[in-house]
Every structure is written in structure tokens, then in C-alpha cells.
């Protein structure tokens, strides 16, 4: 009975919109029609039925991710957003939208991959204000609309069922953690936004990496840079939990373990028109919102398991506490250090590998050196729902079963069930079977490689909410679609509580010296030497006091002896006695 309850417990919501377009559908010439700049930076372009066209642009989308003009000159880059939308980067602007679709009375969806829904155009900067709406249509060489490119699919939106008590417990776990700075850690970020990553072999990087149990140096115990396990509940918000957990971890890494922030999943669900709330979204659409508008901390807008229609964005309450504010008529951001920071931004984001479809195991390992990333997986298999973790696997599985060593792989008869990815999780690291003391005996003589994921289904799933997934063969599509984001202008808090800018100081020679383990070893040795010196001085003063007392006592004895002798022996003169006493006293 318990197993049946578990099997029915998890359903998934990953689809932003029920659209199914592929790269072949998109390659070709497109006409973009753009409105004038809106007065409202929060304009919901997809709610518009008609646009007042001000400008038209003709572009060519070419393989693998190149945008060219009519003269075949490269002017930018592009990427699919899964199979539902597109990001365009050219002429100093960013364009984001989803493809069109229709739904009939029976719920059957028809994708229209030759046309775009109204989307957003803005300057390719952090926190832009010049938002315009646009739409797009695929055209032929004569700039005429092409034949409809349609694909019929069934709806793929389902919801995850969990209790509110479980979610409140998992969200409150983080408030019990205490973070302290680790001065010897120096994070190095590899920015690869819309650039192809050169493939590197695993051996060029550590064979084991786990940001939830990370060993910085041989002198410091392993520490956890990852959030506690959350529970998304009955709202299909895995995309928000995954993306924000990634950003929270990377803020903690970039701030040298001094800024522990909890970001608002409910803001993404309730406020962002780039996603469909509890009906799903993608990491990229979360990152689009954060680079455009920022993300508030969770206490400004706590998680309520409610959709946009149930929990309006007006519930967000940060007041004037935002430390990062947009300066009027400029593209810069003003930072007031006298106010608490309630809003955070990112400065870059993208698909691992450079664009959707370019993800590889090697590229994932490269990006993981900078911090956790998010991955899309197919999570509907019964064996995945009932995964027990690597410590308990031997108890539940034996023989030729797929999970005896705790590394998850589907059962043989489940592979044909794997379809499109439908769930987003946090990828916190990787390793090899037998590379730690917790690992059970291997099933095979050849060590197996694995990924370490952290789910948003609460701590009761897997190994306290985590799982090890077989690495190297795209198990449950885990190596097909990975995403990253880098936090904007993270500031480091030193022991005195002052703030200093990472970009201005982290690369300096003095900062590198201060952050080195040798520096702290030298400081430690100097401190020990100082203590020993103080002890030596105290002992010296104490011994001198003892010697002085002994001398004083000896002088007193000599004086008394001299007086007695002078009275008994007439041959000894007073002058001689005085000289003798004087010689003792001067010593």
C-alpha cells in the first residue's frame, strides 16, 4: 500500500506551453514586427491580441546558432528554449518569445512553428527599461508567409501533489543553518553565455565534485554550498525551485560563503509572464525575468503553492528596502549600501554548451566547476519515483536489479517509456562508484560514473532528497539540457561587516594573497610565536622577581653578620666592613 501511495504521489509539470517545435522548423528567414517602447516595464506582451507596428526587421536563423542579415553577415546568435520558444540576441537587444499553438475542444494541441506569439524586446543589459512587444513569422525569399508548420500533440501538463506541511518544513529548514565565511576559498567563474565551449576531457578536472559536501582544501572540513531540500508541493514550480536554488548557491560561492540568501519562488510563479505559474516553465524563462526585473528575497513574497490567479503579484511586499534601484534615464544600477538588499540580479545565463541542443557531459563538468547547474530530466518512471538513495539501495534491491549500488538507471522495460523531459532538478556534482566511504559495493568490476542531483520533492525522496544518476549515457535525458546563471555584482562581507565589490577586488594581488592558505598559515604561526613570546616575557619577569628577592635576603644576612663581627673583633675596622657591604649591594 505504501508503495502505491508513493507511486501516485509524484506527477510533474515542466511544460511552459504545450508546443512541440524543432530546430529544422525554425531554420530559415523570419520577419520581426516591433512596437514602440512601452511606458510599462512590466508590460505583458503575450496578453496582447494586436500590435501597433513601428519597425520591421528581416533576419536569417542559421545552424547552429547564428543570426545573419540579408547580406549574410553575422549580426548575432539565437537559441531554442526547449521545443517551445526562442531567444534572439542581435543589434544590442534581446528578443524572447514562444511559438504559437491552438487547442481544440478535446484538448488536442496543434503547434504552429512558423509563427511566434507576441514577445518582449529590450536592450541586452541588466535591468533594462525600454521594453517593446514584437511578433514574428517565417517568410520565404519573397518575404511572403511560408506554409503552416504544424504538429499535433496531446497536452502534457500535470501537477505534483504534496502537503503544505511538508513544504513549510522544507522551506523553514534553511533558517536553521549558520553560514560562516571561508577565507581560503576563491571561486573562479567561467562565463560562456552564447559561446561554444571547447570540449575538455574529464581528467582535466577533479574526478569528484559535490557542492553539497565540498572539500575546499586539505585544511578545511567539507562544507555545504547548496540549499536544503525544498518541496514544491502541488504546484508545478520545479523550474522556479531549481533555477533559484542554483542562483542562491552561486551567490554563496561568489560571496565567499558570506551571503546566504533565500529567493522567492512565489514571485516567479505569480509575477512573471515569461512562465505559466504552476503549469510550468524553464530555467531560461526564470533567468530572463531575473536579469530583466530582479528577484526578491523569500520573506518579501513567501511560497504559497498558489497560481497567478490565486496569489497576485501585488502580494509582493519589499517596499523601499531594495538596495539595487534603476537610475532614471540611464542604463546603470544604483546600489545603496545603507539599505538591506532585497532584490538580486544575474548578469549572464544560458544553456550549457552555448545553445539548446549543444549540451555534452564534458560541457556540464566544465560549468559545474563554477557552481551547481540545473538539468531537465524525464521523471515519470516508477523506478525513479521510488528511488531510495545510495545508502539504502542494498536493503531494497539485490542481485541484478538496477539500483544495488545506489546509482540510478531505469529498469530494462522502462526505457521505451522515456519521452520528453518533464522535470527540472539541481545538479550539484558528479563522482565515480566507490570514490567515497558511503558507496556500497559495486555491481561490476568497472567503476560507474554518476551525477549527483537534488530534487524538489522533499527529504523523504531518495537519499535525503538527493540521487545519484548514471553518468555518460544520457540516463533519463539528464545530459540533454542543462542551464546556468551567474549572479550580478556579488559583494563579499569581511569579518568587520564591511562590503567590497567582487569584480574590483577578487582579481587583485592583495586579495589573492589574503585568500591563500599560506597566508593564513603564516598568520597562525605568527600568532603562536607572539603567544610564546608573551609567555617567555612573563616567565622572565617572574624569575627576575625571585632572584631579586633572594639577593635582598642575602644582603640582609651579610649586613647582620658584619655588625656582629665588628663588635667581637677589634682588628676589623668599620671602613673595611662598610666597603664589604657596599660591594655586595652593588651586585
Amino acid at each position: 500500500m505504501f508503495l502505491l501511495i508513493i507511486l501516485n504521489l509524484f506527477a510533474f509539470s515542466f511544460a511552459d506551453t504545450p508546443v512541440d517545435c524543432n530546430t529544422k522548423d525554425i531554420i530559415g528567414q523570419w520577419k520581426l514586427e516591433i512596437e514602440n517602447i512601452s511606458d510599462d516595464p512590466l508590460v505583458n506582451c503575450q496578453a496582447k491580441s494586436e500590435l501597433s507596428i513601428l519597425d520591421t526587421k528581416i533576419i536569417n536563423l542559421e545552424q547552429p546558432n547564428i543570426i545573419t542579415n540579408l547580406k549574410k553577415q553575422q549580426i548575432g546568435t539565437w537559441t531554442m528554449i526547449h521545443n517551445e520558444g526562442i531567444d534572439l540576441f542581435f543589434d544590442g537587444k534581446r528578443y524572447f518569445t514562444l511559438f504559437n499553438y491552438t487547442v481544440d475542444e478535446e484538448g488536442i494541441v496543434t503547434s504552429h512553428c512558423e509563427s511566434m506569439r507576441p514577445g518582449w524586446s529590450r536592450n541586452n543589459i541588466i535591468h533594462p527599461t525600454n521594453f517593446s512587444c514584437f511578433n514574428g513569422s517565417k517568410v520565404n525569399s519573397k518575404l511572403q508567409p511560408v506554409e503552416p508548420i504544424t504538429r499535433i500533440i496531446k497536452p502534457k501538463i500535470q501537477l505534483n501533489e504534496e502537503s503544505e506541511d511538508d513544504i513549510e518544513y522544507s522551506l523553514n529548514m534553511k533558517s536553521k543553518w549558520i553560514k560562516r565565511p571561508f577565507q581560503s576559498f576563491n571561486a573562479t567563474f567561467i562565463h560562456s553565455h552564447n559561446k561554444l565551449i571547447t570540449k575538455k576531457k574529464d581528467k582535466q578536472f577533479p574526478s569528484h565534485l559535490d557542492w553539497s559536501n565540498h572539500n575546499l582544501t586539505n585544511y578545511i572540513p567539507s562544507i555545504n554550498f547548496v540549499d536544503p531540500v525544498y518541496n514544491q508541493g502541488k504546484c508545478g514550480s520545479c523550474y522556479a525551485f531549481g533555477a533559484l536554488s542554483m542562483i542562491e548557491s552561486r551567490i554563496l560561492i561568489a560571496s565567499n560563503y558570506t551571503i546566504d540568501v533565500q529567493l522567492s519562488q512565489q514571485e516567479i510563479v505569480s509575477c512573471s509572464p515569461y512562465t505559466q505559474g504552476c503549469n510550468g516553465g524553464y530555467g531560461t524563462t526564470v533567468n530572463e525575468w531575473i536579469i530583466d526585473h530582479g528577484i526578491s528575497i523569500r520573506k518579501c513574497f513567501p511560497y504559497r503553492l498558489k497560481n497567478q490567479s490565486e496569489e497576485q503579484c501585488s502580494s509582493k511586499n519589499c517596499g523601499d528596502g531594495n538596495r539595487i534601484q534603476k537610475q532614471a534615464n540611464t542604463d546603470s544600477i544604483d546600489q545603496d549600501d545603507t539599505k538591506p538588499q532585497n532584490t538580486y540580479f544575474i548578469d549572464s545565463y544560458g544553456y550549457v554548451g552555448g545553445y539548446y541542443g549543444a549540451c555534452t557531459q564534458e560541457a556540464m563538468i566544465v560549468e559545474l566547476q563554477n557552481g551547481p547547474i540545473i538539468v531537465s530530466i524525464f521523471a515519470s518512471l516508477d523506478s525513479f519515483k521510488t528511488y531510495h538513495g545510495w545508502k539504502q539501495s542494498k536493503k531494497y534491491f539485490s542481485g541484478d536489479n538496477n539500483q544495488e549500488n545506489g546509482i540510478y538507471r531505469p529498469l530494462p522495460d522502462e526505457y521505451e517509456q522515456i519521452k520528453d523531459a518533464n522535470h527540472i532538478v539541481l545538479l550539484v556534482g558528479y563522482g565515480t562508484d566507490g570514490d567515497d566511504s558511503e558507496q556500497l559495493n559495486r555491481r561490476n568490476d568497472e567503476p560507474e560514473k554518476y551525477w549527483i542531483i537534488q530534487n524538489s520533492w522533499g527529504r523523504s525522496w531518495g537519499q535525503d532528497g538527493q540521487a545519484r544518476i548514471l553518468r555518460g549515457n544520457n540516463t533519463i535525458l539528464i545530459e540533454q539540457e542543462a542551464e546556468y546563471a551567474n549572479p550580478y555584482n556579488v559583494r563579499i562581507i569581511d569579518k568587520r561587516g564591511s562590503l567590497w565589490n567582487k569584480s574590483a577586488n577578487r582579481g587583485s594581488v592583495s586579495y589573492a594573497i589574503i585568500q591563500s592558505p599560506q597566508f593564513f598559515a603564516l598568520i597562525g604561526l605568527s600568532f603562536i610565536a607572539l603567544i610564546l613570546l608573551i609567555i617567555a616575557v612573563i616567565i622572565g619577569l617572574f624569575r627576575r622577581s625571585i632572584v631579586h628577592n633572594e639577593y635582598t635576603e642575602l644582603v640582609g644576612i651579610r649586613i647582620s653578620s658584619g655588625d656582629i663581627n665588628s663588635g667581637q673583633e677589634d682588628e676589623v675596622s668599620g671602613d673595611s666592613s662598610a666597603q664589604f657591604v657596599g660591594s655586595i649591594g652593588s651586585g
Side-chain angles (χ1 to χ4, degrees):
M1 179 61 68
F2 175 74
L3 182 59
L4 291 176
I5 293 174
I6 292 294
L7 289 175
N8 292 315
L9 189 62
F10 300 112
F12 319 98
S13 179
F14 176 73
D16 200 3
T17 57
V19 175
D20 184 18
C21 297
N22 58 47
T23 302
K24 292 181 179 180
D25 299 331
I26 308 306
I27 293 297
Q29 191 165 256
W30 287 79
K31 179 174 70 172
L32 306 183
E33 298 177 317
I34 307 165
E35 274 194 327
N36 198 1
I37 295 176
S38 173
D39 295 331
D40 181 10
L42 296 176
V43 57
N44 187 352
C45 294
Q46 294 201 355
K48 291 192 172 187
S49 57
E50 294 184 3
L51 302 182
S52 300
I53 305 304
L54 177 69
D55 189 19
T56 299
K57 294 183 180 293
I58 306 298
I59 60 173
N60 294 303
L61 303 183
E62 301 181 5
Q63 293 277 21
N65 68 329
I66 303 301
I67 299 178
T68 61
N69 57 22
L70 292 177
K71 297 180 180 180
K72 296 297 182 180
Q73 298 169 327
Q74 181 177 348
I75 58 174
T77 60
W78 67 281
T79 180
M80 293 280 288
I81 300 176
H82 197 66
N83 58 355
E84 301 177 13
I86 193 167
D87 258 338
L88 308 170
F89 305 86
F90 69 97
D91 290 348
K93 292 184 177 294
R94 283 184 286 123
Y95 298 80
F96 156 67
T97 190
L98 302 173
F99 296 108
N100 262 321
Y101 69 96
T102 55
V103 184
D104 65 16
E105 296 179 353
E106 297 180 356
I108 303 300
V109 178
T110 301
S111 302
H112 298 277
C113 303
E114 80 288 351
S115 64
M116 301 174 181
R117 299 174 64 187
W120 292 263
S121 166
R122 64 280 203 207
N123 285 345
N124 191 15
I125 59 174
I126 302 169
H127 200 19
T129 56
N130 58 333
F131 285 83
S132 300
C133 296
F134 81 100
N135 60 29
S137 58
K138 195 172 184 181
V139 295
N140 57 27
S141 59
K142 297 181 180 180
L143 303 184
Q144 298 298 314
V146 299
E147 292 294 324
I149 304 173
T150 60
R151 187 169 291 105
I152 298 176
I153 58 175
K154 293 182 179 181
K156 51 184 176 180
I157 296 177
Q158 294 178 325
L159 298 180
N160 179 27
E161 298 292 340
E162 280 286 0
S163 70
E164 294 194 22
D165 291 340
D166 287 341
I167 293 169
E168 189 65 25
Y169 170 79
S170 63
L171 290 175
N172 288 335
M173 281 294 294
K174 189 170 184 178
S175 63
K176 301 178 182 179
W177 286 22
I178 299 176
K179 304 288 188 185
R180 296 183 177 88
F182 282 79
Q183 299 294 341
S184 65
F185 181 59
N186 185 1
T188 303
F189 283 86
I190 305 172
H191 294 274
S192 56
H193 181 49
N194 277 315
K195 295 180 180 178
L196 293 176
I197 295 179
T198 303
K199 291 185 178 181
K200 298 183 179 181
K201 295 183 179 180
D202 294 7
K203 64 182 180 181
Q204 295 182 354
F205 298 99
S207 60
H208 178 88
L209 174 64
D210 183 359
W211 285 105
S212 65
N213 186 29
H214 192 52
N215 186 16
L216 300 179
T217 70
N218 294 328
Y219 310 102
I220 298 178
S222 297
I223 57 175
N224 186 359
F225 284 97
V226 179
D227 282 345
V229 176
Y230 291 133
N231 194 326
Q232 70 187 71
K234 61 183 179 181
C235 175
S237 53
C238 61
Y239 65 98
F241 277 92
L244 295 187
S245 292
M246 170 183 65
I247 294 170
E248 289 171 3
S249 295
R250 289 191 168 214
I251 289 174
L252 194 58
I253 293 168
S255 68
N256 202 23
Y257 212 73
T258 61
I259 300 179
D260 180 20
V261 62
Q262 303 171 50
L263 303 176
S264 172
Q265 297 88 4
Q266 193 63 50
E267 177 178 336
I268 299 298
V269 172
S270 293
C271 301
S272 173
Y274 302 167
T275 69
Q276 267 58 54
C278 284
N279 290 334
Y282 295 99
T284 294
T285 55
V286 174
N287 294 332
E288 294 263 9
W289 173 262
I290 297 175
I291 200 170
D292 284 348
H293 304 289
I295 182 71
S296 60
I297 59 177
R298 183 159 55 84
K299 71 178 182 180
C300 296
F301 201 2
Y303 188 59
R304 302 298 187 192
L305 292 89
K306 296 180 179 179
N307 216 334
Q308 292 161 315
S309 60
E310 301 172 293
E311 189 76 12
Q312 297 296 325
C313 191
S314 58
S315 302
K316 177 181 174 182
N317 182 23
C318 282
D320 295 328
N322 292 355
R323 183 166 62 83
I324 299 181
Q325 299 290 342
K326 186 71 177 180
Q327 292 181 349
N329 302 319
T330 71
D331 289 332
S332 62
I333 295 177
D334 178 43
Q335 300 193 36
D336 183 359
D337 293 335
T338 64
K339 297 180 180 179
Q341 182 170 349
N342 290 337
T343 301
Y344 288 80
F345 288 81
I346 59 174
D347 67 8
S348 60
Y349 68 95
Y351 284 100
V352 173
Y355 56 91
Y356 176 74
C359 187
T360 63
Q361 177 185 181
E362 292 81 5
M364 292 167 67
I365 290 176
V366 170
E367 188 58 44
L368 273 170
Q369 309 308 310
N370 301 326
I373 60 179
I374 54 175
V375 291
S376 302
I377 62 173
F378 183 77
S380 298
L381 300 179
D382 290 345
S383 60
F384 183 80
K385 298 175 190 176
T386 57
Y387 174 77
H388 292 281
W390 51 91
K391 291 183 179 180
Q392 299 294 325
S393 293
K394 196 170 184 178
K395 175 181 178 181
Y396 290 96
F397 301 98
S398 61
D400 294 331
N401 196 282
N402 65 322
Q403 296 183 34
E404 184 182 358
N405 65 349
I407 299 176
Y408 174 78
R409 59 180 61 72
L411 293 169
D413 59 352
E414 289 182 316
Y415 282 94
E416 62 182 14
Q417 302 177 34
I418 299 176
K419 299 177 182 178
D420 194 16
N422 59 5
H423 190 51
I424 285 180
V425 295
L426 187 69
L427 186 64
V428 301
Y430 58 88
T432 304
D433 182 16
D435 61 3
D436 60 44
S437 59
E438 295 180 348
Q439 188 67 45
L440 298 173
N441 294 330
R442 297 192 299 267
R443 296 169 60 245
N444 306 311
D445 294 332
E446 185 69 22
E448 291 184 321
K449 298 178 179 180
Y450 59 82
W451 300 109
I452 308 171
I453 67 168
Q454 182 161 301
N455 208 342
S456 55
W457 291 349
R459 294 175 60 87
S460 60
W461 179 85
Q463 185 69 50
D464 296 324
Q466 291 190 342
R468 292 177 175 177
I469 310 296
L470 187 65
R471 172 162 59 103
N473 65 348
N474 199 26
T475 302
I476 56 175
L477 309 180
I478 193 171
E479 292 154 15
Q480 179 172 295
E481 183 178 351
E483 302 170 70
Y484 73 92
N486 291 316
Y488 168 74
N489 201 30
V490 173
R491 301 156 76 82
I492 299 173
I493 305 175
D494 65 18
K495 292 182 179 180
R496 297 164 295 179
S498 61
L499 293 171
W500 37 293
N501 189 293
K502 171 184 72 109
S503 60
N505 294 277
R506 186 173 284 277
S508 66
V509 175
S510 59
Y511 178 81
I513 293 174
I514 291 174
Q515 294 298 298
S516 66
Q518 293 85 350
F519 175 80
F520 285 96
L522 180 61
I523 292 296
L525 291 175
S526 300
F527 180 75
I528 294 173
L530 178 61
I531 295 298
L532 293 176
L533 178 61
I534 293 173
I535 293 174
V537 170
I538 293 174
I539 293 175
L541 292 174
F542 180 72
R543 293 186 62 182
R544 181 174 181 179
S545 176
I546 294 175
V547 171
H548 179 72
N549 291 337
E550 290 177 350
Y551 284 168
T552 302
E553 184 179 355
L554 180 60
V555 168
I557 293 173
R558 291 290 188 179
I559 292 174
S560 299
S561 176
D563 291 342
I564 294 172
N565 292 335
S566 63
Q568 294 179 349
E569 300 180 9
D570 295 333
E571 293 85 358
V572 180
S573 67
D575 293 339
S576 299
S577 177
Q579 291 175 0
F580 176 75
V581 173
S583 65
I584 295 294
S586 64

